[in-house]
Amino acid sequence: NCNFSKLWLSIFFCVFSVSGDLLVLTVATQETDGFRRFLRSAKHFNYTIKVLGRGETWRGGDYMSPPGGGQKVRLLKSALEDIQDENRVILFVDSYDVIFSSGPRELLKKFQQAKHRVVFSAETLIWPDRHLEDKHPHVREGKRFLGAGGFIGYAPNLKKMLSDWSGADSDSDQLHFTKIYINPEKRKSINITLDNKCRLFQNLHGALDEVVLKFEDGRVRARNVLYDTLPVIIHGNGPTKLQINYLGNYIPNLWTFETGCTICNENLRPLSGLQESEYPVVVIGIFIQQPTPFVTVFFERLLNLKYPKNRLQLFIYNQESHHEPHVRTFLEYHESEYQGVKLIGPEEDIDPVTSRNIGFDMCRDNIDCEYFFSVDVDVVLKNEDTLRILIEPFIAPMMTKPGLLWTNFWGALSADGYYARSEDYVDIVQGHRVGLWNVPYISHIFLTKADALRTDLKDPDLFESATLDPDMAFCSKVRNKGVFMFVTNVHTYGRVLSTENYQTNHLHNDLWQVFENPVEWEERYIHENYSKVLKDGFIETPCPDVYWFPVFTDVACKHLIEEMEHFGQWSGGGNTDNRIQGGYENVPTIDIHMNQVGYEKEWQKFLLDYAAPVTEKMYPGYYTRAQFDLAFVVRYKPDEQPALRPHHDASTFTINIALNQVGIDYQGGGCRFLRYNCSVNAPRRGWALMHPGRLTHYHEGLPTVQGVRYIVVSFVDP
């Protein structure tokens, strides 16, 4: 058996088991991801494989260059000389872009049914010499032109077919075989035919509309709908590498509706039994290229990754001066916990493309580095086990944006190299198909092996392109190197923030993210027990028709206070107030209105989403649109304004949220409802008092005798 957990280049002959007289020959001068996929599919069906060309330098061109492939013919001719059995059937196929979808028994049966000694794959398109089109035999139905990427025949016939080959490695194998096929005498003498209806071979170039996946009885095949056939061998010839990658996500039986993902637990690198000193060293590249919300939260999540910090090195690229305090604070407290840290700040004026290469080099140049983990700062890494889970060759955890079909991967590419939606994209995003998916594009976050960066991906211009964005250029060059990129949705990992409309003109700009990033805003600012208010009735009634419930986190309270103090334009507490309609305030407070700091729309959104549902629950039959004329933060100080005289509010109901802690930040304070002689003397930080504003709930603010007390008040439905 081949050991697939180690990529030993020394492994050359992989013999799985003998299946009749069939021997599969292929050429592979290096072990690529495509070659390993080919071997996996061969092993699945117990093919006997002999690989030719190990250790040679490839000189046969590629599908993007002028015709080549002569090197394959030379190697095949040499290998056939050692085969003396006249009954031996030889299958010769490419390997980097080929997968088996069925086994030797079916292949041999279909070969015998062809009633010829040699059967070539067939194509719709002629290559490489269109002038030879008229010389091809006409067929009643099916594909007319020969494809050299796959053929099967008896050894003596193949020897005869190759006997006069003397071409160079760079000559065209396809042209050589085509000239033999279009020669009536040679065609008859060697007994060659084409697999016109794709019963044995399916070439994808020129035939993408013909091929669909067929799921049946726990098995996956490729079906040619034009001829209603089930080809045994699928070849992503020419510019169809993305399509063979897509089909290879399923064939043979990598994912089925009955079993789900059958390979997701293969080749995993177990870490649970290791000592911390044995964990692989990982360089984490952190990239801050634009003003981004919740950067502080990003670093908090980074700290919470379940991975020994002394096995992690950090490369931090920060292009934004606005985020320098966030980075500086993180490093001030935590830099010493990591094995090493390299920081590139905005003052160094290094462009983003160069920064990516510098990050890669930090890993390439460190002999101990085994993985590079690239993370953009707009990634919300919710899963603390992400790094432990992802120890794979080149893999990205799937990230989404709440409520959208947006993810950090593309399932397909358009003809011009941009986004296209694959047939399975929605199912993958919505979790109806869970597995490991070979995709053409990933972004924002990925893990790659250091070995790949030192070999296949060692070029310094991976992110450079005259026409493509850096991430698209990177993925394009990775694909062209034959390196597979995978995205996994086996676990839930997190999401990606929206950076649109993010302003940096406030002290705590994240407070304004309630529209663009509502999920992250809620996690940051809404009390962890708020959900219990509606679900479990987690609500208190300290006075008649007065309801008390948690709504804000400590961070929300802190940010609101600091935002208002930073703004600093507190009212004087007099009756004359030009900020309100009519210019007169009957019961003045020292305050700052939400509209003064540009927060009125965000505050109404908060009231609508978090106050209105409680109102409708506690005051049955009353429904609010959460309209308000006044919403403001009030400051009470003993030497400024310690209390507020009895009054009604100009509202249907009032929301009053305590922003700091009695007994710690101030002494005294509270609210007394005169009609009921009932007081709330110990307001809890982040908890809201909700009460009717008019008629029944005449109330006063009790004196603050020490310190400073802050509350935020909303007069709702005036």
Side-chain angles (χ1 to χ4, degrees), residues 373-389:
F373 187 37
S374 179
V375 191
D376 291 354
V377 78
D378 55 351
V379 167
V380 182
L381 203 54
K382 292 280 291 178
N383 191 327
E384 297 176 352
D385 291 312
T386 295
L387 193 49
R388 294 167 57 96
I389 294 169

Side-chain angles (χ1 to χ4, degrees), residues 294 297 300-301 380-382 402 494-495 497 517-528 552-556 610:
F294 302 107
V297 181
E300 290 173 1
R301 297 192 190 284
V380 182
L381 203 54
K382 292 280 291 178
R495 54 187 176 267
L497 296 169
N517 292 289
V519 175
E520 189 71 8
W521 189 91
E522 179 176 301
E523 288 186 355
R524 187 66 163 163
Y525 292 128
I526 296 301
H527 198 287
E528 62 181 356
F552 274 156
T553 62
D554 290 351
V555 172
Y610 300 100

Side-chain angles (χ1 to χ4, degrees), residues 186-203:
K186 290 185 177 181
R187 183 170 69 247
K188 182 177 180 180
S189 173
I190 300 171
N191 197 219
I192 302 174
T193 190
L194 301 187
D195 180 32
N196 305 103
K197 296 184 181 180
C198 305
R199 299 181 73 245
L200 291 84
F201 303 96
Q202 177 67 64
N203 291 311

Side-chain angles (χ1 to χ4, degrees), residues 248-516:
N249 283 330
Y250 297 91
I251 303 170
N253 296 21
L254 273 69
W255 188 95
T256 71
F257 286 102
E258 291 82 1
T259 63
C261 180
T262 63
I263 63 165
C264 287
N265 293 322
E266 293 182 10
N267 301 331
L268 298 180
R269 184 170 179 176
L271 301 178
S272 56
L274 298 181
Q275 300 291 327
E276 284 195 358
S277 60
E278 298 173 320
Y279 272 64
V281 172
V282 180
V283 172
I284 301 181
I286 300 162
F287 298 91
I288 308 173
Q289 296 180 206
Q290 60 187 340
T292 304
F294 302 107
V295 169
T296 300
V297 181
F298 173 89
F299 283 113
E300 290 173 1
R301 297 192 190 284
L302 180 68
L303 284 169
N304 290 334
L305 279 178
K306 293 180 179 177
Y307 203 93
K309 291 182 175 56
N310 60 7
R311 304 299 287 173
L312 296 176
Q313 296 183 4
L314 301 184
F315 171 78
I316 303 175
Y317 170 71
N318 176 29
Q319 196 180 22
E320 289 296 327
S321 299
H322 170 70
H323 291 307
E324 281 192 284
H326 304 131
V327 175
R328 187 167 56 247
T329 299
F330 167 72
L331 292 179
E332 179 182 347
Y333 288 98
H334 302 290
E335 180 176 2
S336 62
E337 300 174 34
Y338 291 90
Q339 190 182 95
V341 175
K342 180 178 178 62
L343 170 65
I344 295 178
E347 71 283 353
E348 297 184 51
D349 196 28
I350 291 178
D351 64 272
V353 168
T354 302
S355 77
R356 300 276 176 172
N357 285 316
I358 295 174
F360 280 172
D361 284 341
M362 183 173 172
C363 180
R364 290 185 184 115
D365 298 341
N366 179 359
I367 193 173
D368 295 324
C369 177
E370 294 189 53
Y371 296 91
F372 186 86
F373 187 37
S374 179
V375 191
D376 291 354
V377 78
D378 55 351
V379 167
V380 182
L381 203 54
K382 292 280 291 178
N383 191 327
E384 297 176 352
D385 291 312
T386 295
L387 193 49
R388 294 167 57 96
I389 294 169
L390 290 183
I391 299 298
E392 289 281 343
F394 201 127
I395 191 167
M398 189 182 79
M399 297 282 171
T400 61
K401 288 186 177 180
L404 303 174
L405 284 174
W406 186 98
T407 65
N408 63 320
F409 80 94
W410 296 350
L413 295 182
S414 63
D416 56 358
Y418 287 84
Y419 171 82
R421 179 173 291 182
S422 61
E423 183 180 340
D424 56 2
Y425 179 83
V426 174
D427 279 348
I428 293 172
V429 174
Q430 295 180 342
H432 302 310
R433 300 188 188 188
V434 174
L436 193 62
W437 313 101
N438 185 345
V439 296
Y441 171 88
I442 56 176
S443 65
H444 289 81
I445 178 172
F446 63 85
L447 181 84
T448 186
K449 292 189 74 172
D451 286 346
L453 296 178
R454 297 180 185 117
T455 54
D456 295 327
L457 305 179
K458 63 184 177 182
D459 296 344
D461 63 346
L462 291 173
F463 294 90
E464 296 178 8
S465 170
T467 57
L468 299 176
D469 292 338
D471 56 342
M472 295 175 64
F474 174 67
C475 291
S476 175
K477 292 179 181 180
V478 170
R479 294 194 305 269
N480 291 339
K481 293 288 187 180
V483 176
F484 290 170
M485 295 174 286
F486 294 91
V487 69
T488 174
N489 63 339
V490 173
H491 302 271
T492 299
Y493 297 96
R495 54 187 176 267
V496 173
L497 296 169
S498 170
T499 57
E500 297 177 8
N501 304 316
Y502 183 63
Q503 304 297 319
T504 60
N505 53 331
H506 301 285
L507 179 66
H508 293 294
N509 299 281
D510 296 345
L511 278 170
W512 275 257
Q513 288 294 299
V514 64
F515 292 105
E516 280 74 16

Side-chain angles (χ1 to χ4, degrees), residues 49-76:
I49 306 289
K50 183 176 181 180
V51 186
L52 312 176
R54 178 191 179 273
E56 287 197 9
T57 300
W58 177 250
R59 299 182 179 89
D62 58 60
Y63 74 94
M64 298 177 67
S65 303
Q71 188 171 355
K72 294 188 292 183
V73 184
R74 172 176 61 79
L75 291 166
L76 175 59

